[in-house]
Amino acid sequence: MKTSIFLLCIMLGAACHSQEWLTDFDAAKRKATAEKKQILLVFTGSDWCPRCQELEEKLWQTAEFKAEAKEKWVLLKADFPQKGGMPEPVDVNAMNMILTERYNRNGFFPYIVLLDKYGRVLGRTGYEEFDTADEYVTMLKKL
């Protein structure tokens, strides 16, 4: 019984501290409008891009980033995995391709675009060297 309660507490704690990454642009705009936030759009190659993986591990999963994101941003991810080292077939109607055509025509990875609730670009950046998550969050807030 104690083990079950302990596991339940861990699962609830994890759910409370996780962040929601959307993949649908229209849903992100609706949420940004409703919550009066900006949209932080991240282009990533989650399974092949070393710098994308570094951001995932050392930034996106930190308490510092999660706290700031909860207050300021709706998180939107355009992922381009290469399962088994091969790019997936291109579907020009897929949301990640639509976002790329509009915001990342040069195909940079990782690439971060800050948008207003209407989808207008407020700032852009690629990977930047950082020592702490706070340092990167501060840079993102200045976009």
Side-chain angles (χ1 to χ4, degrees):
M1 178 71 170
K2 289 180 184 179
T3 304
S4 297
I5 293 172
F6 176 73
L7 290 174
L8 179 62
C9 289
I10 289 174
M11 289 171 37
L12 288 173
C16 292
H17 294 290
S18 66
Q19 62 212 19
E20 178 185 11
W21 285 91
L22 301 176
T23 57
D24 181 273
F25 187 43
D26 290 329
K29 289 192 295 187
R30 284 191 300 274
K31 186 172 181 175
T33 299
E35 297 179 8
K36 296 181 172 69
K37 295 180 180 178
Q38 298 170 337
I39 300 167
L40 191 69
L41 168 58
V42 176
F43 290 89
T44 185
S46 61
D47 64 350
W48 59 268
C49 170
R51 295 219 165 156
C52 300
Q53 293 166 346
E54 183 179 345
L55 285 175
E56 181 67 35
E57 180 183 320
K58 294 182 179 178
L59 180 64
W60 310 137
Q61 296 303 319
T62 65
E64 295 87 352
F65 176 78
K66 289 177 182 181
E68 194 67 33
K70 184 178 180 182
E71 296 298 317
K72 302 223 184 293
W73 303 309
V74 171
L75 304 175
L76 179 62
K77 188 176 283 187
D79 193 10
F80 290 83
Q82 292 186 3
K83 296 175 179 119
M86 296 297 295
E88 292 185 357
V90 173
D91 176 1
V92 296
N93 295 314
M95 185 55 65
N96 61 355
M97 291 303 295
I98 292 168
L99 290 168
T100 298
E101 180 65 25
R102 187 164 180 186
Y103 298 109
N104 190 9
R105 288 187 151 206
N106 292 322
F108 296 127
F109 291 93
Y111 193 57
I112 303 163
V113 184
L114 185 65
L115 306 168
D116 69 9
K117 64 185 178 182
Y118 303 109
R120 293 182 295 224
V121 175
L122 301 172
R124 304 171 190 252
T125 189
Y127 177 87
E128 300 289 337
E129 294 289 334
F130 66 101
D131 293 318
T132 67
D134 280 331
E135 182 182 320
Y136 213 93
V137 168
T138 299
M139 185 270 304
L140 290 174
K141 289 180 354 186
K142 292 179 183 178
L143 287 180

